[in-house]
Amino acid sequence: MSREETFWDEGAGAPSEGGAMQGDLRGLAAELREAWPDPSLSADFAGRLRQRAAAPWRWRDAWRREPLLRIAAGLLVACGLAVPVMAMIRLLVVAEPRQPAVTLELPLPRPARSPDDEPVRAVPPALPEPQESSAEGWVPALERDNRFHRLAAAWRKRFAGRPPPAGAAERLAALDDPAVRAGLELRLGLRTAAASLRRDWSAASPGELWAELERQLCRGEPEIPADLVARARKLWDGGDAEARGWLSGWIAVLVDPALARGYPLPEPGGPDLAVFWDAARWELPLLEDAEDGRSPPPPWPGPR
Amino acid sequence: MSETPGDLLARFQGGDEDAFGELVARMGPRLKGYFLRQGADEATAEDLTQNAFLRVLQSARRYRPEGRLDAFFLRVARNLWIDHRRRGPPSVRAEGAARDGGGAPSPAELAGRSDRAARLRQALADLDGDTRELLELAVLQGLPYRDVAGILGIPVGTVKSRVFYALRRLREQLGALAEERWEDVD
């Protein structure tokens, strides 16, 4: 049997049952062929076929024809659905976050600082030099520094939240540049300055008056009795340069800052606080009370 | 020596548009006849025939030139017919048209058509699908046994014996009605 053997080849056929049988079957097959010939095509068959063959590629046709396209589309849809599904699962089934052993938490907002909370500029604590500790005046020098810083803090407190007076920037700069010696850290609770227990200022010393001025400034609610004013003026008129140094603050506040110029604190290297008094003068109200002897200060004739 | 369908396809792939027309003229009626004899109506047969051409053109690169192109066409046609039947009830031609072999018969055809031919067509249509398909490929299309075996997925020897027994069954169905007419054909 040749590889191209067909039914119609001579001698081809089924298991032989004799030539006549095969002839009959071949005849029947020929009849069958004639009974049902191949039909003709419609007139526009070729034209329509050309149009379809030249038709642009369409998704629908490709979808129907290419199984790999359907597989790829299925994978794409599965991947696209997987993302939101996994997100939903993660949202709904979320494990409790483990508390870390150490966390870094941002501090709560710091409360607004009031001027009263502002500490005096701290001086880093340091041990004095051996020569300093043995020298006389080391403790007084520390005390002088402390006084200055108290005054600066009080001055800033006065002007907190308000525009400082004209030229105050320069004055602030001057206050920030004192001859400061290393000393003890100084912090003041400005509201905690105790009220003065002294009721009679008629015999107060210049230094005591200075201390009272500092206390008044730190306390924030100054009460200036008349006898204190009188005593300050009396001592100023009759006092020497050292006394006037201690009294310069009161004079600048009560009378005229110009008078206080040139009278620095009576300490070596003490700063001239005229700029301080020039501004502080307008911030300290006077106490006017005539019933218990605290009468308003009489007009001061001025220094002699 | 006339060109084989494979030669025509090769010319068409080379850009010869005329070869396409010849290919359609040669294979078109055969494919349409295949679909009609398998049970499709006229419109479906033409549509499936066009689909077969399109598929062959699209898969032309897979066609091995050493094979028969007509066998390749009929393999494609068979697959299309199977897919068509799977999608739904086949567009079966009207019973009356079965005897006409599809298409409006001309008066000459009607005049020359005998009852025997109609009975033959009916007898073929009454066969089971596998037997009808076997006769279609081996007898009516005239494909080599090897190609028929390849299309149907059966051994060559089985093809030969089944064709023989299919024709015998066909004859037996016609026997009672056509005994006297058989002598007329001869």
Side-chain angles (χ1 to χ4, degrees):
Chain A
M1 183 178 64
S2 70
R3 292 175 60 79
E4 293 296 324
E5 184 181 7
T6 70
F7 173 83
W8 300 103
D9 290 336
E10 187 70 28
S16 175
E17 293 186 358
M21 181 66 73
Q22 287 196 12
D24 290 343
L25 294 178
R26 287 172 63 87
L28 179 61
E31 270 195 275
L32 185 61
R33 248 187 173 180
E34 288 183 11
W36 212 336
D38 292 334
S40 56
L41 300 173
S42 60
D44 61 344
F45 180 90
R48 285 188 290 119
L49 180 58
R50 286 181 188 276
Q51 286 182 354
R52 290 183 65 184
W57 186 88
R58 291 189 305 178
W59 274 106
R60 188 175 59 183
D61 296 336
W63 180 269
R64 213 177 325 147
R65 190 172 53 247
E66 300 292 339
L68 287 180
L69 187 63
R70 294 192 290 271
I71 292 172
L75 287 174
L76 191 63
V77 170
C79 291
L81 289 176
V83 170
V85 167
M86 292 302 297
M88 287 298 297
I89 292 174
R90 187 163 179 79
L91 282 175
L92 297 176
V93 184
V94 178
E96 286 294 325
R98 290 181 297 174
Q99 294 294 334
V102 176
T103 60
L104 177 63
E105 296 181 355
L106 295 176
L108 294 174
R110 302 180 69 178
R113 294 170 64 86
S114 67
D116 295 342
D117 298 331
E118 290 184 2
V120 176
R121 182 166 66 95
V123 177
L127 292 176
E129 298 295 330
Q131 59 273 23
E132 289 180 338
S133 62
S134 62
E136 291 183 2
W138 174 68
V139 173
L142 286 176
E143 291 176 348
R144 180 180 67 248
D145 293 337
N146 290 343
R147 288 197 192 99
F148 177 81
H149 288 299
R150 279 206 298 270
L151 288 173
W155 191 86
R156 290 191 175 87
K157 172 176 176 293
R158 292 293 180 191
F159 293 100
R162 292 175 293 167
E170 298 175 358
R171 296 165 186 169
L172 280 172
L175 289 175
D176 285 335
D177 188 21
V180 177
R181 293 166 59 93
L184 299 175
E185 180 177 290
L186 176 66
R187 287 183 179 275
L188 285 180
L190 298 180
R191 288 188 181 279
T192 62
S196 174
L197 300 179
R198 194 183 182 106
R199 290 289 181 260
D200 182 9
W201 293 97
S202 60
S205 68
E208 290 174 336
L209 291 173
W210 165 263
E212 177 62 17
L213 177 61
E214 287 182 337
R215 193 191 63 78
Q216 295 271 0
L217 291 174
C218 294
R219 191 156 182 260
E221 296 175 359
E223 296 177 354
I224 308 175
D227 58 344
L228 185 149
V229 176
R231 180 62 178 171
R233 288 176 173 174
K234 181 178 178 181
L235 290 176
W236 177 270
D237 289 343
D240 55 8
E242 180 177 349
R244 287 189 172 183
W246 291 117
L247 298 168
S248 63
W250 282 115
I251 298 304
V253 169
L254 299 174
V255 182
D256 187 354
L259 293 177
R261 293 182 189 277
Y263 293 102
L265 286 176
E267 296 158 340
D272 186 351
L273 298 178
V275 295
F276 175 86
W277 302 130
D278 191 15
R281 177 195 179 197
W282 309 109
E283 303 301 326
L284 294 177
L286 297 180
L287 179 65
E288 299 181 357
D289 188 356
E291 290 185 1
D292 56 353
R294 294 188 176 194
S295 58
W300 189 34
R304 287 198 290 251
Chain B
M1 182 176 176
S2 63
E3 289 178 294
T4 66
D7 298 332
L8 293 173
L9 181 62
R11 278 176 49 202
F12 173 67
Q13 289 173 325
D16 188 347
E17 293 293 324
D18 292 339
F20 178 78
E22 292 179 37
L23 192 61
V24 170
R26 192 179 300 189
M27 288 303 305
R30 290 178 65 177
L31 293 174
K32 183 177 177 180
Y34 169 85
F35 290 118
L36 285 174
R37 289 186 285 265
Q38 295 304 306
D41 59 20
E42 174 75 17
T44 303
E46 283 228 341
D47 192 46
L48 292 175
T49 301
Q50 292 213 348
N51 291 347
F53 272 102
L54 289 173
R55 190 167 291 189
V56 168
L57 292 176
Q58 289 165 357
S59 58
R61 61 182 176 273
R62 295 202 296 268
Y63 166 66
R64 293 176 300 170
E66 61 271 17
R68 290 171 62 109
L69 184 61
D70 55 349
F72 186 72
F73 264 103
L74 287 165
R75 183 192 292 268
V76 171
R78 180 174 183 265
N79 293 335
L80 284 171
W81 178 245
I82 293 173
D83 293 341
H84 177 76
R85 291 184 63 185
R86 282 177 184 163
R87 283 196 291 271
S91 304
V92 179
R93 59 187 175 277
E95 187 173 339
R99 300 189 179 88
D100 298 333
S106 65
E109 288 179 318
L110 284 173
R113 192 164 295 163
S114 63
D115 289 338
R116 180 171 172 82
R119 287 198 297 275
L120 272 171
R121 289 195 294 274
Q122 189 60 49
L124 181 65
D126 291 340
L127 292 175
D128 61 277
D130 293 341
T131 305
R132 184 168 64 246
E133 189 175 39
L134 182 70
L135 288 177
E136 171 70 36
L137 296 175
V139 176
L140 299 176
Q141 297 289 344
L143 290 181
Y145 286 128
R146 180 199 62 176
D147 289 317
V148 176
I151 292 173
L152 299 180
I154 55 178
V156 174
T158 306
V159 172
K160 294 176 65 175
S161 60
R162 287 188 183 179
V163 167
F164 171 75
Y165 291 116
L167 287 171
R168 276 203 358 191
R169 247 175 50 208
L170 189 68
R171 188 181 63 182
E172 288 165 3
Q173 286 185 3
L174 293 171
L177 295 172
E179 190 101 31
E180 71 239 16
R181 301 297 182 97
W182 188 266
E183 294 171 357
D184 294 335
V185 170
D186 284 340

